[in-house]
Amino acid sequence: MEELNHAGNNTNEDIRQPDLNDLLDRGDQALMEQILRDPTHAYRNLKHGDTVDGRIMQINRDEILVDIGAKAEGVIPSREMQTLSEEDRAALKVGDTILVFVVQSEDKEGRAILSIDKARQEKSWRALQECYERGDIIYARVKNYNKGGLLVDLDGVRGFVPASQVSSISRVSETQKQSEMARLVNVELPLKVIEINRNRNRLILSERQALVETRESKKDELLTSLREGDVRDGVVSSVCDFGVFVDIGGADGLVHLSEISWSRVKHPGEVLKVGDKVKVAILNIDHERKRIALSIKRTQSEPWTRVAERYQLGQIVEGTITQLASFGAFARIEDGVEGLIHISEMGDERIQHPREVLSEGQVVQARIIRIDPARKRMGLSLRLHAEPTESSEKEENPD
């Protein structure tokens, strides 16, 4: 509380009038009353809307008396301290300094009516205005929700977060939207003020914008720490036709379709979905465009390096037909290893196209007739009992 200065008529500088708070501390009630009756005593001229510091004089069940430097003590009725929790109120004691808002400068008894709730609210509005002007990100816990969005409380000021400004609420049904908003109650969210109007008591916030800015900041930090060749843990954040985006802790990088697996993948959705946890290798970092190229398959050993050890000529293997072409069919033997069944190796009868005897997804038994690990090629035959040399000749010189 500001010290109260008293003006006296005595011109002797050595004679100082006692301070009101000093008298209160010493319990000199009589002298204090004498000073308060002194017409030369300087009082604050308070009016509605003022926010001032006061000193608690007395705590009663239904009200708190506060010295705010006026002619009489101010009173905080219980209805004006609803924002105080039981713990907050129990912690208050005589002599504490407290911020109050002047609701009424003087009632019938000559006392000012004060409010803790409105003081907190006023202080919060001023702080929120500053946050809005600076573009700061603030944090608030969700108190409730309605059909349109989330409700938050910022030290007495109620803010509204439209559903469209909440990142986890996508374009889903109304039932799903309400379920997601209910889940967010009591969750603390990062928020950015996007509209503030004190006169209309209007505060609109966005969690989506706060996340975007937070991620941009984290992305800048991450880009400076990444090195090509690093292996990171990530989570698939988006799946599209040409690849998947993976969040590696503050920034999304792209895993191109060709870098998802050593096996043939037609669409990323065949093997990955949003939320999948993956390991990725850093292929390239474009600091200027803030783009990161990632690879999933580079975190795994290249399958063809083990082919010479695992397979041999004449071996019967099981394969799945992955693609049909006019000259033959490709069969996946294991992830990353495919062999070609030439059209001449599909049977004794002449056929015009492999689709006459095979279909994509079909599982077949085939004989290995050629292995070339250096060129990543393997020749297969559906003639399980043919001699390997004979089959090779037919593949090289088809009729």
Side-chain angles (χ1 to χ4, degrees), residues 218-227 232 285 287:
K218 287 183 178 180
K219 188 172 186 176
D220 290 339
E221 294 177 11
L222 186 63
L223 284 170
T224 61
S225 66
L226 288 178
R227 297 290 180 272
R232 297 274 182 138
I285 305 166
H287 290 279

Side-chain angles (χ1 to χ4, degrees), residues 87-356:
E87 293 78 11
D88 290 338
R89 183 152 184 186
L92 294 176
K93 59 184 183 296
V94 173
D96 284 352
T97 298
I98 190 169
L99 185 70
V100 292
F101 178 93
V102 179
V103 178
Q104 185 178 342
S105 58
E106 191 173 311
D107 66 0
K108 295 179 180 179
E109 299 177 17
R111 305 179 305 177
I113 305 300
L114 309 173
S115 173
I116 291 177
D117 297 342
K118 290 183 175 61
R120 282 186 166 187
Q121 192 179 67
E122 185 63 30
K123 185 178 180 181
S124 183
W125 274 113
R126 294 176 186 178
L128 288 166
Q129 183 67 41
E130 292 178 3
C131 289
Y132 174 69
E133 293 170 358
R134 293 195 303 261
D136 292 348
I137 292 174
I138 57 180
Y139 291 83
R141 195 171 298 277
V142 178
K143 294 295 184 182
N144 209 334
Y145 67 96
N146 58 28
K147 187 176 180 180
L150 305 173
L151 303 175
V152 298
D153 182 82
L154 291 147
D155 290 332
V157 176
R158 192 176 78 162
F160 180 65
V161 187
S164 61
Q165 294 298 323
V166 181
S167 59
S168 62
I169 301 177
S170 55
R171 295 179 180 178
V172 295
S173 67
E174 189 63 32
T175 301
Q176 291 174 304
K177 182 192 295 185
Q178 294 297 312
S179 176
E180 175 61 17
M181 288 195 291
R183 186 189 67 81
L184 291 172
V185 173
N186 292 323
V187 174
E188 187 177 68
L189 300 178
L191 301 167
K192 187 169 182 181
V193 180
I194 57 176
E195 184 181 342
I196 184 169
N197 189 319
R198 175 69 180 89
N199 294 331
R200 296 177 60 191
N201 204 33
R202 181 179 176 85
L203 178 67
I204 309 298
L205 306 120
S206 171
E207 183 254 6
R208 189 182 295 277
Q209 287 192 25
L211 280 185
V212 168
E213 293 194 12
T214 300
R215 286 183 64 82
E216 282 300 313
S217 176
K218 287 183 178 180
K219 188 172 186 176
D220 290 339
E221 294 177 11
L222 186 63
L223 284 170
T224 61
S225 66
L226 288 178
R227 297 290 180 272
E228 291 183 9
D230 286 354
V231 175
R232 297 274 182 138
D233 291 321
V235 178
V236 176
S237 58
S238 178
V239 178
C240 48
D241 292 339
F242 54 85
V244 297
F245 288 93
V246 177
D247 182 354
I248 54 174
D252 283 355
L254 172 65
V255 181
H256 190 268
L257 180 63
S258 61
E259 292 294 333
I260 290 176
S261 173
W262 292 108
S263 299
R264 191 190 306 271
V265 177
K266 292 184 177 180
H267 190 279
E270 296 174 4
V271 292
L272 293 169
K273 64 181 183 299
V274 173
D276 283 352
K277 295 180 180 179
V278 294
K279 283 190 177 295
V280 292
I282 311 298
L283 294 184
N284 179 263
I285 305 166
D286 186 338
H287 290 279
E288 185 176 341
R289 299 170 72 186
K290 296 184 179 181
R291 292 184 177 179
I292 308 167
L294 306 172
S295 173
I296 293 175
K297 75 178 188 181
R298 306 290 178 96
T299 64
Q300 307 156 358
S301 59
E302 216 278 71
W304 279 95
T305 61
R306 307 187 306 272
V307 165
E309 302 172 2
R310 293 168 57 84
Y311 302 103
Q312 56 190 355
L313 293 176
Q315 181 177 345
I316 304 298
V317 294
E318 185 176 87
T320 302
I321 305 301
T322 59
Q323 186 178 359
L324 299 177
S326 59
F327 54 84
F330 291 94
R332 182 175 63 248
I333 308 305
E334 64 172 77
D335 284 345
V337 178
E338 289 190 351
L340 171 64
I341 306 172
H342 193 270
I343 193 171
S344 63
E345 293 294 336
M346 293 184 181
D348 295 329
E349 297 182 5
R350 183 181 295 274
I351 59 174
Q352 297 298 317
H353 195 281
R355 73 169 67 93
E356 296 175 20

